[in-house]
Amino acid sequence: MNKPINQSGWKPGTPVASDGSEHPTVTGNKALMLEEALIFEIGGTETCGVDLPETPTDLPSRLGDFARTDGTGLPGLSEPETVRHYTRLSRQNYGIDLGFFPLGSCTMKHNPRLNEKVARMPGFADVHPMQPTDTVQGALGVMNELAHWLIELTGMRGVAMSPKAGAHGELCGILCIRAALEARGDARKVVLVPESAHGTNPATAAFAGYATEDIPANKDGRVDLEALKERLGPDVAAVMITNPNTCGLFERDMKAISDAVHEAGGFVYCDGANFNAIMGRVKPGDLGVDAMHINLHKTFSTPHGGGGPGSGPVVLSEALSPFGPLPFTARTDDGYIHLVEEENADEYDHTRAFGRMTAFHGQMGMFSRALTYILSHGADGLRTAAGDAVLNANYILRQLEGEFDAPFAASGPCMHEALFSDEGFAEGFSTLDLAKGLIDEGFHPMTMYFPLVVHGAMLIEPTETESKDGIDQFIMAMKSLGKRAKEGDEALKSAPHHAPRARLDEAQAARKPRLSWTQDEG
Amino acid sequence: MRYLPLTETDRTAMLDAIGASSVDALFTDVPSDLYLNGPIEGLPLHATEMAVEKHMRKLSKQNLAAADAAFFLGAGAYKHHVPATVDHLIQRGEFLTAYTPYQPEIAQGTLQMLFEFQTQVANLYGCAIANASLYDGSTACWEAVAMAARVTRKKRHVLSGALHPHYAEVVRTMAKFTEDEIAGAKVSLTARPDDDGLIARIDENTASVVVQYPDILGRIPDLQKIADAAHAVGAKLIVVNTEPVALGALEAPGNLGADIVVGEGQALGVGLQFGGPYLGLFAISDPKMVRQMPGRLCGETTDADGKRGFVLTLSTREQHIRREKATSNICTNSGLCALAFSIHMTLLGDKGLKGLAAENHRLACIAADRLSKVPGVTVLNDHFFNEFTLIFDADARQLVRDLAEQNILAGVSLGRLFPNDDCNGLIVAVTETTTVEDIETLAAALEEKLS
């Protein structure tokens, strides 16, 4: 049964723990930085911020014996309290609108507001997925037009639009591969994954029923082609490669890798997380890739939203396209766009689809945003954006390689991201300390401790939407923090000092999980 | 280009600083015969904001928006009124353009919201713990099945025939590859769900029983009875809910013996959006199962100064730590949709949710009464919340297409949902946005078409 609400004794004006700063306040607030209690402490079950019709309570019901006996116990807030609650919460967040996210492998670029405006047009936002096809030609048109761009940009044959995120796309691609192998009666058991891969790669392979094995890397941070060739054989279903890879390098031997994998009867999966670096510069299809997911929330600027929703369409080669999941769109010569689902798959010669990844058709709200972005840039703008992203990353690499150890600085130009290690930091000082110091300097930390092939990895991806001045300021901050980490500046170990919270005790959170609010709070 | 801050002067200065002759020279690792020396041919070049907006508006106008029709579609996606406050708040850049909250000191906004969201979902479902959301209801349904297999160490799953067919298809698709056995059934068009038939299919090898509440036809199964039968053989009951507003009126599945409750949260705050992005809800009754849960979890802790704060926790379950041994390959949640849901739920509170549910049910009863008066039409359901199934002789699929020409979106036909089962009928959903005039419009159109 549900817990009663607001039994903790908290009231507005109750002082919260002071932070020991020089000028404490009784409320715990600090001018524009306002502390905000939980809705369970400020709302009540009698409050409602929505005006509803006065529905009589004595009407005959058709609920049978299943009417709810308890309430949900959930508090409501009036509209002004709601606006204030979430506005205050928002101000405790860092976002792209505020500053720089140098997050390797995450491509946190500017989110244009035109995308948001378009996604809210009634013809996209207020349309039900099961409306008759005649009434949603525009929505299907967006899917079809976006699919065309994705296929052209990647040099592939088909695209599965429905996957809901990058990892979901990976799963879709690997399942296409498994379906294609099964169709020829070939039950291969192993997927090869480089050590530097995202954790989703081995997890995906495992969920698709495969054992995973590591592909060794050579000293320059790329796949060891000879070692890979040696491992290939009749038991290898696929190789999952990230290109550009998570060390920020382009896999020079990609074509040779693909040829070798194909010759051994396997397929090449490419993790498209880093496609931003090469869009309009080279087509993965030309490199022999069979399946690749595209993160619309990275490469094509749809918002991360504090952790989703993403969108991960999967482009497929000639060999894999027949196995792509339902539904998909098909345009006939008369210009009409058909939605191909379970019921009409045979009409479109798509009876070999491996199944369905999700209810309905995928992330329409992300399709309209991504297409808006793509049309804004055009073929020329996308190519320029990739160039600027790579230029920004190389600029950071060369400006910082004197201050930080850059294990692959000699491996040629980097692509979209630059990788550094914690070598030379004073005893007891870590990448985490430096990252928390970056918070005080007004930046979001870089990707830390990934990839695993470098000790105390710091992976920095500037994207093309950072200005030179902004990057220069970041470089200045990094140099200062690098010095402090090498000199053993104790203040760094307790950073951040200026954030809404000091370092949080993550060990305590895991040891004694408190995952929902209960009345013994406070 | 308006999204690119670098000027030609900047580019020249930066190339000088790194000792490169041109941007193209940074791509020397790309095989020169495959390198694209200019924009891909046959694709349009960059365009102004005005031109792009115009193009997209044209596409948008080629759809019939729900608000411009007499609208009765449900079947897993519902049209509810979303207060303006919700969309305003989710567009604040600090929410919209934030990253996953891996750096908690500067992500307390997202994290506190997720903690509140998890509590809201757990209370709504009558469960102990909810996660920070999954992609959508259908994928959450599969994750629940996979979790039940892990917890029970069995691989047979019994699906109700009245589970949303897309959900069943997602489960079947994934189970093929994990070698779980899926025992499905055809949907049967009866006034009440065939709970006994479902129970009869549960055996000693059963890991989970999956039942939708209310089900795809709008009927309400007896969860406690099914739970008792499942628990008797050590199986887990997974309850799927696609309409969270229903739980303002119907008993929470967690109070009726459900072990895992999953669902679609789209109805609150998110909007229709042609099917996505949506919001997967996932909750469990027994806190001891938490380490087998998929997806992100937010937990409470304190900071170095002793202040309360929130972090993502128990991440050793997840792919970025455990790689191939993770509980799921999922790497995200549906953060912004969770925020929209949470704001809408905060505006409603318990009182508002009950009121909203009552209004939905009232209008649905009016619709059922009126539509059952149309000659040749019967309402299948004994019980329903805001969605029920109409049975008549004409082909519902074609009827829906015909009525769309009159700006009536009459519902979802069984023919479209169950193309292989040869069943005919129309699922009609009614919400607070439905007017008595809309109901009359649909009734009159049916009278005309079916006479």
Side-chain angles (χ1 to χ4, degrees):
Chain A
M1 300 306 278
N2 285 308
K3 317 122 191 172
I5 292 299
N6 202 3
Q7 303 290 302
S8 67
W10 187 92
K11 288 192 266 315
T14 307
V16 298
S18 180
D19 60 0
S21 68
E22 200 181 339
H23 303 289
T25 56
V26 295
T27 54
N29 295 334
K30 284 185 273 181
L32 297 181
M33 283 312 307
L34 298 158
E35 291 291 329
E36 181 64 1
L38 291 157
I39 52 172
F40 312 105
E41 294 161 339
I42 49 184
T45 48
E46 288 308 294
T47 309
C48 179
V50 180
D51 286 328
L52 291 160
E54 296 288 326
T55 309
T57 49
D58 55 349
L59 292 173
S61 128
R62 312 281 177 87
L63 299 173
D65 302 328
F66 305 103
R68 190 157 186 153
T69 49
D70 64 343
T72 56
L74 291 171
L77 292 177
S78 67
E79 187 179 308
E81 289 170 299
T82 303
V83 170
R84 200 162 281 172
H85 176 72
Y86 290 99
T87 302
R88 286 182 178 194
L89 287 188
S90 77
R91 293 168 54 87
Q92 316 220 354
N93 261 10
Y94 198 85
I96 299 172
D97 283 3
L98 189 69
F100 178 28
F101 277 84
L103 274 165
S105 234
C106 288
T107 313
M108 297 287 286
K109 62 170 70 174
H110 167 66
N111 300 155
R113 285 312 191 273
L114 176 62
N115 300 357
E116 297 304 312
K117 186 175 181 181
V118 166
R120 285 166 172 79
M121 288 174 179
F124 303 136
D126 192 30
V127 177
H128 191 286
M130 303 298 275
Q131 283 179 215
T133 311
D134 287 358
T135 69
V136 291
Q137 283 296 295
L140 297 175
V142 168
M143 288 173 73
N144 215 54
E145 196 171 336
L146 178 60
H148 177 72
W149 272 94
L150 298 182
I151 287 168
E152 288 296 315
L153 285 169
T154 56
M156 304 286 268
R157 175 69 184 75
V159 58
M161 297 294 284
S162 65
K164 298 245 158 198
H168 207 218
E170 278 178 35
L171 197 53
C172 175
I174 292 293
L175 294 184
C176 285
I177 288 170
R178 190 166 156 178
L181 287 166
E182 284 175 356
R184 65 179 198 216
D186 192 343
R188 296 171 178 237
K189 288 276 174 268
V190 181
V191 169
L192 305 182
V193 182
E195 287 174 20
S196 58
H198 302 113
T200 49
N201 291 182
T204 296
F207 263 74
Y210 287 112
T212 56
E213 285 182 34
D214 279 342
I215 305 173
N218 52 28
K219 289 192 307 298
D220 76 351
R222 294 183 175 92
V223 168
D224 184 334
L225 178 61
E226 292 315 311
L228 173 69
K229 279 182 176 169
E230 248 169 61
R231 176 58 193 86
L232 287 172
D235 61 336
V236 176
V239 175
M240 292 181 94
I241 302 251
T242 308
N243 192 20
N245 70 24
T246 62
C247 301
L249 301 170
F250 189 84
E251 293 285 356
R252 287 176 197 150
D253 296 328
M254 190 71 205
K255 189 75 180 72
I257 291 169
S258 301
D259 291 346
V261 173
H262 292 153
E263 197 168 320
F267 289 98
V268 178
Y269 186 90
C270 182
D271 180 328
N274 299 334
F275 185 58
N276 197 50
I278 57 169
M279 60 179 177
R281 302 263 166 184
V282 62
K283 296 180 179 183
D286 292 347
L287 298 164
V289 170
D290 291 296
M292 178 176 108
H293 74 267
I294 295 169
N295 300 91
L296 299 185
H297 50 285
K298 295 181 184 182
T299 313
F300 298 118
S301 84
T302 75
H304 271 71
S311 180
V314 183
V315 286
L316 300 164
S317 63
E318 187 83 44
L320 291 185
S321 286
F323 302 96
L326 299 167
F328 66 97
T329 59
R331 190 187 201 104
T332 41
D333 291 343
D334 58 1
Y336 192 87
I337 303 173
H338 304 263
L339 186 67
V340 184
E341 295 176 279
E342 287 81 354
E343 59 166 349
N344 56 357
D346 46 358
E347 281 172 57
Y348 294 89
D349 195 22
H350 204 72
T351 49
R352 291 190 289 171
F354 74 72
R356 177 179 270 278
M357 293 293 298
T358 175
F360 312 128
H361 328 304
Q363 309 286 64
M364 181 69 203
M366 298 301 137
F367 301 157
S368 54
R369 287 173 172 90
L371 180 60
T372 300
Y373 170 82
I374 286 171
L375 293 172
S376 297
H377 262 312
D380 53 332
L382 293 174
R383 186 176 183 278
T384 307
D388 281 359
V390 170
L391 177 60
N392 278 346
N394 277 281
Y395 182 68
I396 288 174
L397 176 65
R398 299 307 167 200
Q399 296 288 322
L400 289 180
E401 67 180 333
E403 190 64 51
F404 294 91
D405 170 56
F408 305 119
S411 302
C414 66
M415 286 279 104
H416 57 296
E417 59 195 2
L419 179 60
F420 302 96
S421 83
D422 63 359
E423 190 176 309
F425 285 13
E427 185 65 35
F429 281 78
S430 67
T431 290
L432 182 74
D433 298 324
L434 185 133
K436 299 300 183 188
L438 209 47
I439 291 175
D440 279 339
E441 297 289 354
F443 299 97
H444 191 280
M446 71 293 281
T447 296
M448 316 180 290
Y449 303 106
F450 178 82
L452 307 173
V453 292
V454 168
H455 193 272
M458 292 176 275
L459 189 62
I460 295 171
E461 177 178 2
T463 84
E464 71 280 9
T465 61
E466 293 305 317
S467 69
K468 180 173 181 294
D469 286 349
I471 289 175
D472 283 337
Q473 192 192 43
F474 172 74
I475 288 165
M476 181 178 77
M478 282 295 287
K479 283 182 172 170
S480 156
L481 289 163
K483 278 197 186 56
R484 291 171 64 195
K486 285 189 220 158
E487 290 163 2
D489 176 353
E490 281 300 321
L492 199 54
K493 294 196 70 120
S494 50
H497 301 280
H498 302 296
R501 286 290 177 273
R503 264 191 226 196
L504 286 140
D505 188 344
E506 301 195 29
Q508 175 193 317
R511 214 174 34 246
K512 290 187 290 187
R514 293 167 69 99
L515 306 171
S516 66
W517 188 85
T518 53
Q519 62 176 20
D520 59 357
E521 295 276 332
Chain B
M1 170 63 213
R2 61 189 178 271
Y3 304 151
L4 300 176
L6 295 187
T7 62
E8 275 310 317
T9 310
D10 289 333
R11 290 185 186 109
T12 306
M14 292 163 88
L15 286 166
D16 284 350
I18 61 185
S21 56
S22 67
V23 170
D24 287 323
L26 300 174
F27 289 87
T28 49
D29 289 327
V30 177
S32 58
D33 58 327
L34 301 179
Y35 185 68
L36 305 166
N37 284 303
I40 295 171
E41 281 173 31
L43 293 173
L45 301 180
H46 67 272
T48 63
E49 176 161 336
M50 195 167 69
V52 176
E53 189 178 333
K54 194 170 169 184
H55 174 82
M56 295 305 288
R57 191 173 302 283
K58 197 169 128 197
L59 281 169
S60 165
K61 283 195 185 314
Q62 291 167 17
N63 302 308
L64 175 57
D68 297 329
F71 183 90
F72 294 91
L73 279 80
Y78 301 90
K79 177 175 165 55
H80 289 285
H81 175 74
V82 178
T85 301
V86 176
D87 199 39
H88 164 76
L89 289 168
I90 70 167
Q91 286 193 79
R92 285 191 61 89
E94 303 93 327
F95 285 131
L96 184 78
T97 72
Y99 180 60
T100 306
Y102 290 136
Q103 297 288 346
E105 298 85 2
I106 47 173
Q108 283 301 299
T110 294
L111 287 160
Q112 181 170 330
M113 175 283 286
L114 287 176
F115 185 80
E116 292 172 351
F117 167 82
Q118 288 175 182
T119 306
Q120 287 172 323
V121 174
N123 280 34
L124 182 72
Y125 279 176
C127 286
I129 294 169
N131 76 6
S133 75
L134 296 170
Y135 307 135
D136 75 336
S138 65
T139 49
C141 183
W142 159 249
E143 292 290 338
V145 166
M147 179 176 161
R150 284 196 297 277
V151 171
T152 61
R153 298 176 186 267
K154 300 183 203 172
K155 298 207 81 138
R156 182 173 182 267
H157 308 275
V158 176
L159 269 53
S160 154
L163 173 64
H164 193 300
H166 288 183
Y167 287 49
E169 194 54 36
V170 170
V171 169
R172 267 194 286 272
T173 296
M174 289 308 303
K176 255 193 311 211
F177 297 101
T178 57
E179 292 169 7
D180 283 68
E181 181 199 341
I182 303 301
K186 282 202 163 179
V187 65
S188 58
L189 302 187
T190 49
R192 295 194 181 195
D194 182 13
D195 298 334
D196 292 332
L198 178 66
I199 287 167
R201 292 189 285 125
I202 302 172
D203 66 12
E204 294 291 328
N205 300 319
T206 304
S208 76
V209 181
V210 184
V211 63
Q212 188 173 320
Y213 171 87
D215 70 18
I216 187 69
L217 303 176
R219 304 168 310 181
I220 305 165
D222 185 346
L223 294 184
Q224 192 65 61
K225 190 169 159 187
I226 301 164
D228 293 344
H231 296 160
V233 294
K236 299 293 177 195
L237 175 62
I238 296 168
V239 174
V240 175
N241 166 270
T242 63
E243 170 53 299
V245 176
L247 300 179
L250 291 174
E251 189 62 83
N255 297 342
L256 297 170
D259 299 290
I260 306 174
V261 186
V262 295
E264 179 50 67
Q266 164 276 335
L268 290 169
V270 177
L272 288 170
Q273 304 194 83
F274 198 54
Y278 278 4
L279 174 67
L281 307 179
F282 192 110
I284 55 173
S285 292
D286 179 1
K288 286 198 290 295
M289 291 200 296
V290 69
R291 283 169 204 277
Q292 289 298 331
M293 261 177 118
R296 288 180 181 144
L297 283 163
C298 170
E300 183 187 322
T301 186
T302 52
D303 76 354
D305 299 328
K307 277 191 193 167
R308 178 173 67 186
F310 302 92
V311 292
L312 291 179
T313 189
L314 299 181
S315 55
T316 51
R317 298 165 300 113
E318 294 183 72
Q319 49 74 32
H320 59 286
I321 310 285
R322 287 289 295 284
R323 298 176 78 84
E324 69 273 11
K325 298 189 182 66
T327 55
S328 162
N329 85 323
I330 289 177
C331 167
T332 189
N333 53 313
S334 210
L336 207 66
C337 299
L339 176 65
F341 175 100
S342 194
I343 296 169
H344 196 173
M345 189 64 99
T346 296
L347 282 164
L348 287 167
D350 189 61
K351 185 177 168 199
L353 185 69
K354 281 179 185 158
L356 183 63
E359 181 65 5
N360 273 251
H361 191 55
R362 180 182 77 89
L363 285 160
C365 290
I366 290 172
D369 290 345
R370 175 65 186 91
L371 295 169
S372 65
K373 289 196 181 77
V374 176
V377 173
T378 51
V379 172
L380 175 72
N381 307 50
D382 279 353
H383 305 122
F384 56 84
F385 167 63
N386 68 350
E387 196 169 20
F388 50 82
T389 302
L390 299 182
I391 304 293
F392 44 78
D393 283 339
D395 174 15
R397 205 132 202 201
Q398 192 53 48
L399 181 91
V400 167
R401 289 194 196 112
D402 293 346
L403 292 190
E405 289 171 20
Q406 305 172 34
N407 273 6
I408 300 168
L409 292 168
V412 178
S413 67
L414 295 183
R416 180 162 180 187
L417 278 171
F418 299 98
N420 305 319
D421 286 2
D422 191 33
C423 54
N424 187 37
L426 184 67
I427 305 169
V428 171
V430 175
T431 73
E432 75 286 354
T433 65
T434 314
T435 63
V436 175
E437 292 74 34
D438 291 335
I439 294 167
E440 194 48 50
T441 302
L442 176 62
L446 285 175
E447 274 162 7
E448 187 202 346
K449 289 280 175 197
L450 300 177
S451 60

